[in-house]
């Protein structure tokens, strides 16, 4: 572990201190003068990820009631009328099953961060038309899923301030990799 | 599907794979027909040329089962294909396909048979329009074309990729039938590209950068967070596989390859690398690819694919037709380095013999092992276990389940047992 970290720090040092600042470089390019500097607009167009602290969440907001409408129109056909029926993965339920023989892993029972729900729906759902919803619609349907799982009140309004504060049930349920763990 | 009624017909039975004579080989289901051969031949050439060229082909086809020294053979082709007698194929579901491990030799998986896993289809990407964005905690955010990435100093390595869901159904019992069905989500290729560290240095890391988010440009916009201290040494940005550009299902035109890590981290159709200071906690590193333990906690960021092996011949679904010499063959690998040793048992793990390893024996790469055996016509249980250079020994199923329970789904690397009955039929069992 120590060795790995030292090597990493060393590499980092070389890259930061020597690499780009060596004799060929200006601050506009690296050692090989390849690639071109991306504009803020170009970055913004692709930079859709949302971190647990809310970094990356767009402007917008949504309520449970609005979310129920978005869900019925864009999601229920695959995830079921109440989010448990499928045929797609269940989005609701499973609380209290994780330590049983038949664990049901859903956003409500298993996911550690509410921000992940926003991030995933925003980038990948609805399955047949990913990235077609507005940020308001994604806030709304996220709020609805959290409400159905008993994680927010029925009059909750979620936005970039409130969403990261939602406490998920399995928030402290993840542990780092302890392997090798067998024999 | 029944065409008339529109009702689904009962699932077709899996074709029985047979082993004939003392040679152990999979028999093609049926020899190629003359018509199929001719159609192939005519489409290879323009219609105008056909009258001149067909004559030798007709002779060739008519003699397909005769003496090939008596007729001129087929002419040169621009992009080759395998012999029409060969039928090994991937076993497909819409979002995955499995490598026919039992039909392969050596260690390289032909690109056309490399396993696939995707979460919303294989995108069609024009390489001229594709860009890689490197941004976040860097000195300058950069956009690269594929042509520019190819100008960087290049490198290549033979490496296995394994989906961490490989063999995952076996947590719940001996579910799969064949080596392909159970273990076919792993393949080996020669991957070529540029080192990740070279490209990151071009953008210049800033000191806070400790994690990297990698994102694909498929309809799942697949994303994983990776700790820089674990990936910087070895990770590659690959544009080629087995000498030619990546196959579409392998990430054309660009993919990340982290040697020894679970396949999902090797983001395909790579379009974005964002340097960050902590993991983004994407769906694929929380909801998926985490290992649920019996106490309800879940292990996260279980990146390394631990040592594993599988006997591919004889293996599930095959049949030994004759007693006598059998070369037991298989593949072993470890995400932590080289395969040090493979041991084989023919009596369900009571006695072990050391297998021969075929060169090359490369770190984080499939390694071929073989062992001479005589089948006396009696019942036998064949097993193999891999010991890697860290000293780690592939566990028995009992050892693995004792620690992890059976709810993990991912990272199953227990010893595989194949039972051979007195008729020579080989079946998947757990002992």
């Amino acid at each position: 572990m120590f060795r790995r970290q030292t090597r990493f720090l060393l590499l980092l040092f070389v890259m930061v201190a020597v690499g780009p600042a060596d004799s060929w470089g200006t601050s506009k390019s690296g050692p090989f003068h390849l690639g071109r500097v991306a504009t803020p607009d170009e970055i913004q167009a692709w930079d859709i990820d949302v971190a647990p602290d809310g970094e990356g969440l767009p402007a917008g907001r949504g309520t449970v009631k609005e979310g129920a409408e978005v869900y019925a129109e864009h999601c229920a056909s695959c995830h079921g009328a109440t989010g448990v029926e499928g045929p797609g993965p269940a989005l609701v339920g499973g609380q209290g099953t994780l330590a049983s023989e038949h664990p049901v892993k859903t956003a409500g029972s298993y996911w550690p961060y509410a921000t992940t729900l926003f991030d995933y729906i925003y980038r990948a759902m609805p399955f047949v038309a990913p990235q077609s919803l507005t940020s308001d619609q994604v806030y709304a349907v996220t709020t609805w899923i959290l409400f159905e799982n008993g994680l927010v009140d029925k009059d909750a309004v979620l936005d970039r301030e409130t969403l990261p504060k939602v406490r998920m049930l399995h928030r402290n349920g993840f542990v780092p990799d302890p392997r090798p763990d067998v024999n | 599907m029944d065409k008339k009624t529109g009702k689904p017909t009962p699932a077709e039975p899996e074709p029985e794979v047979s082993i004939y004579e003392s040679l152990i080989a999979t028999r093609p289901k049926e020899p190629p027909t003359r018509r199929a051969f001719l159609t192939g031949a005519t489409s290879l050439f323009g219609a105008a040329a056909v009258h001149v060229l067909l004559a030798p082909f007709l002779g060739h086809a008519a003699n397909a089962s005769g003496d090939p020294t008596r007729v001129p053979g087929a002419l040169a082709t621009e992009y080759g294909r395998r012999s029409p007698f060969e039928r090994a194929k991937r076993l497909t579901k819409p979002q995955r396909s499995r490598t026919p491990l039992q039909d392969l030799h050596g260690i390289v998986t032909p690109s056309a048979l490399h396993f696939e896993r995707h979460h919303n289809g294989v995108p069609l990407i024009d390489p001229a329009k594709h860009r890689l964005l490197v941004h976040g905690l860097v000195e300058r955010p950069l956009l690269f074309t594929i042509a520019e990435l190819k100008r960087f100093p290049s490198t290549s390595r033979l490496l296995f990729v394994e989906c961490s869901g490989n063999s995952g159904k076996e947590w719940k019992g001996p579910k799969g039938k064949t080596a392909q069905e159970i273990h076919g989500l792993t393949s080996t290729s020669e991957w070529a590209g540029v080192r990740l560290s070279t490209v990151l240095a071009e953008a210049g890391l800033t000191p806070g950068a400790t994690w990297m988010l990698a994102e694909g440009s498929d309809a799942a916009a697949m994303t994983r967070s990776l700790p820089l201290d674990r990936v910087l040494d070895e990770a590659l940005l690959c544009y080629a596989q087995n000498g030619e550009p990546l196959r579409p299902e392998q990430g054309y035109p660009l993919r990340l390859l982290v040697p020894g890590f679970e396949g999902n981290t090797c983001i395909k159709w790579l379009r974005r690398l964002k340097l960050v200071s902590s993991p983004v906690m994407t769906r694929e590193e929380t909801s998926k690819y985490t290992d649920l333990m019996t106490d309800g906690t879940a292990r996260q960021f279980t990146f390394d694919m631990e040592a594993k092996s599988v006997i591919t011949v004889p293996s599930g679904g095959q049949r030994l037709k004759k007693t006598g010499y059998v070369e037991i063959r298989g593949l072993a690998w470890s995400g932590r380095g080289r395969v040090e040793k493979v041991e084989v048992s023919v009596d369900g793990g009571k006695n072990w013999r050391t297998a021969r390893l075929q060169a090359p024996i490369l770190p984080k790469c499939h390694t071929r092992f073989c062992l001479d055996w005589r089948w006396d016509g009696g019942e036998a249980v064949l097993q193999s276990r891999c010991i890697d250079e860290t000293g780690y020994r592939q566990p028995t199923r009992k050892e693995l389940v004792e620690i992890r329970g059976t709810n993990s789904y991912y990272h199953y690397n227990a010893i595989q047992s194949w039972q051979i009955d007195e008729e020579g039929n080989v079946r998947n069992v757990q002992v």
Side-chain angles (χ1 to χ4, degrees):
Chain A
M1 194 63 201
F2 175 74
R3 228 186 75 228
R4 193 193 293 151
Q5 226 141 44
T6 324
R7 217 165 3 140
F8 169 62
L9 287 176
L10 213 77
L11 205 64
L12 199 70
F13 173 78
V14 171
M15 296 171 76
V16 172
V18 186
D22 73 7
S23 54
W24 353 355
T26 67
S27 66
K28 281 245 149 50
S29 63
F32 293 96
H33 289 253
L34 290 170
R36 72 162 171 82
V37 173
T39 66
D41 283 352
E42 285 169 333
I43 296 173
Q44 208 202 338
W46 283 1
D47 189 10
I48 56 171
D49 57 274
V50 175
D53 62 5
E55 174 84 33
L57 276 171
R61 51 173 281 294
T63 65
V64 175
K65 192 161 165 290
E66 291 157 0
E69 279 162 34
V70 175
Y71 184 83
E73 189 179 339
H74 297 282
C75 325
S77 58
C78 290
H79 291 285
T82 67
V84 290
E85 302 87 345
L91 307 178
V92 174
Q95 285 86 343
T97 66
L98 295 183
S100 76
E101 232 166 86
H102 300 286
V104 180
K105 297 190 276 183
T106 73
S109 67
Y110 192 62
W111 293 32
Y113 301 98
T115 48
T116 307
L117 203 52
F118 185 99
D119 174 279
Y120 182 70
I121 297 167
Y122 200 55
R123 74 174 55 247
M125 289 293 139
F127 201 63
V128 281
Q131 299 184 20
S132 62
L133 300 184
T134 65
S135 29
D136 280 344
Q137 287 176 307
V138 177
Y139 274 116
V141 78
T142 302
T143 311
W144 181 83
I145 293 169
L146 292 169
F147 169 70
E148 290 293 309
N149 279 294
L151 295 163
V152 297
D153 297 338
K154 93 171 173 314
D155 45 41
V157 182
L158 294 187
D159 58 21
R160 55 156 59 128
E161 296 303 320
T162 50
L163 178 67
K165 296 197 180 107
V166 176
R167 289 296 292 183
M168 302 295 272
L169 272 185
H170 207 228
R171 170 69 184 81
N172 296 318
F174 288 83
V175 296
D177 179 11
R179 300 171 311 155
D181 55 344
V182 182
N183 74 63
Chain B
M1 205 68 126
D2 185 315
K3 280 213 188 86
K4 273 201 200 116
T5 63
K7 282 190 191 128
T9 45
E12 280 182 38
E14 289 266 311
E16 188 192 289
V17 187
S18 85
I19 296 176
Y20 57 103
E21 303 301 324
S22 56
L23 283 179
I24 297 175
T26 308
R27 181 162 46 87
K29 247 204 271 175
E30 64 209 48
T33 61
R34 180 162 177 237
R35 177 203 280 265
F37 192 88
L38 286 176
T39 319
T42 38
S43 66
L44 278 177
F45 303 96
V50 165
H51 69 285
V52 186
L53 293 167
L54 205 57
F57 263 103
L58 284 167
H60 184 80
N63 270 279
S65 55
D67 182 351
T69 66
R70 304 277 180 120
V71 281
L75 304 180
T77 55
E78 286 185 331
Y79 195 86
R81 37 183 0 193
R82 64 179 168 181
S83 160
F85 293 95
E86 293 305 319
R87 296 293 172 91
K89 58 183 184 209
R90 295 189 287 214
L91 187 65
T92 60
K93 293 259 171 74
Q95 298 193 351
R96 72 207 68 189
S97 72
R98 294 176 156 84
T99 295
L101 298 174
Q102 69 283 351
D103 298 324
L104 302 185
H105 307 272
I107 57 171
V108 174
T109 309
S111 300
L113 295 176
H114 193 292
F115 85 88
E116 309 164 67
R117 177 75 177 100
H118 23 82
H119 288 250
N120 200 354
V122 177
L124 179 67
I125 297 177
D126 177 350
K129 296 192 181 128
H130 192 75
R131 297 287 181 274
L132 173 70
L133 171 65
V134 181
H135 73 121
L137 300 173
V138 293
E139 292 185 353
R140 52 195 158 266
L142 291 178
L143 267 176
F144 297 98
T145 63
I146 296 297
E148 284 170 322
L149 291 170
K150 286 182 174 169
R151 284 185 58 199
F152 278 109
S154 58
T155 184
S156 74
R157 264 182 86 176
L158 276 154
L159 295 164
F160 81 82
V161 182
E162 183 181 16
C163 175
S164 53
N166 198 22
S167 341
K169 291 212 170 84
E170 299 294 295
W171 282 110
K172 299 287 188 193
K175 303 276 182 192
K177 288 195 175 64
T178 64
Q180 176 169 20
E181 194 186 335
I182 305 168
H183 305 293
L185 293 176
T186 183
S187 309
T188 278
S189 288
E190 185 199 79
W191 300 100
V194 46
R195 297 172 71 101
L196 170 69
S197 55
T198 306
V199 175
L200 293 186
E202 196 69 6
L205 289 182
T206 58
T210 49
W211 287 73
M212 177 181 79
L213 183 79
E215 184 179 86
S217 52
D218 56 333
M222 180 56 62
T223 32
R224 287 295 302 258
S225 311
L226 291 157
L228 274 186
D229 67 340
R230 299 272 348 256
V231 303
L232 218 41
D233 271 0
E234 289 194 85
L236 307 174
L237 303 184
C238 297
Y239 41 74
Q241 170 194 12
N242 298 332
E244 62 181 350
L246 301 173
R247 290 285 162 126
E249 64 271 29
Q250 293 311 320
Y252 183 84
L254 187 71
R255 81 174 301 174
L256 180 63
L257 215 297
V258 192
F261 272 32
E262 61 183 359
N264 182 253
T265 63
C266 303
I267 299 293
K268 299 188 279 190
W269 314 290
L270 184 71
R271 82 165 182 191
R272 190 161 73 99
L273 296 174
K274 182 182 187 180
L275 282 302
V276 290
S277 58
S278 54
V280 174
M281 300 293 179
T282 69
R283 180 242 189 181
E284 316 302 324
E285 57 211 23
T286 53
S287 172
K288 304 290 165 188
Y289 302 98
T290 49
D291 306 306
L292 185 59
M293 300 291 110
T294 48
D295 65 359
T297 64
R299 294 177 179 180
Q300 198 181 22
F301 302 121
T302 38
F303 294 125
D304 308 88
M305 296 309 296
E306 297 190 297
K308 189 163 169 179
S309 65
V310 56
I311 292 171
T312 54
V313 175
S315 62
Q318 297 178 336
R319 186 147 98 82
L320 296 175
K321 282 208 168 166
K322 274 190 175 174
T323 56
Y325 177 73
V326 174
E327 187 182 54
I328 295 173
R329 297 170 182 163
L331 290 168
W333 62 96
S334 167
R336 293 213 182 88
R338 273 188 186 73
V339 170
E340 184 76 31
K341 186 156 109 169
V342 175
E343 294 173 327
V344 170
S345 170
V346 295
D347 56 11
K350 289 189 202 82
N351 298 288
W352 295 90
R353 282 164 64 197
T354 302
R356 284 194 306 282
L357 299 184
Q358 286 181 3
I361 304 165
L362 300 168
K364 308 182 183 185
C365 184
H366 283 167
T367 299
R368 177 64 63 178
F369 66 87
C370 306
L371 186 82
D372 297 324
W373 182 49
R374 282 200 165 270
W375 182 50
D376 61 9
E379 208 190 279
V381 174
L382 270 49
Q383 299 183 329
S384 63
R385 64 184 185 200
C386 173
I387 294 125
D388 72 16
E389 65 176 318
T390 70
Y392 174 90
R393 172 176 62 72
Q394 183 183 358
T396 63
R397 175 180 166 78
K398 189 161 170 280
E399 289 169 329
L400 189 67
V401 166
E402 231 162 62
I403 306 277
R404 308 235 187 115
T406 58
N407 285 341
S408 280
Y409 191 75
Y410 302 98
H411 303 102
Y412 184 89
N413 72 327
I415 291 171
Q416 168 69 49
S417 304
W418 300 121
Q419 183 180 56
I420 301 175
D421 67 16
E422 285 166 2
E423 256 93 69
N425 296 304
V426 189
R427 282 194 313 131
N428 174 24
V429 294
Q430 290 180 347
V431 296

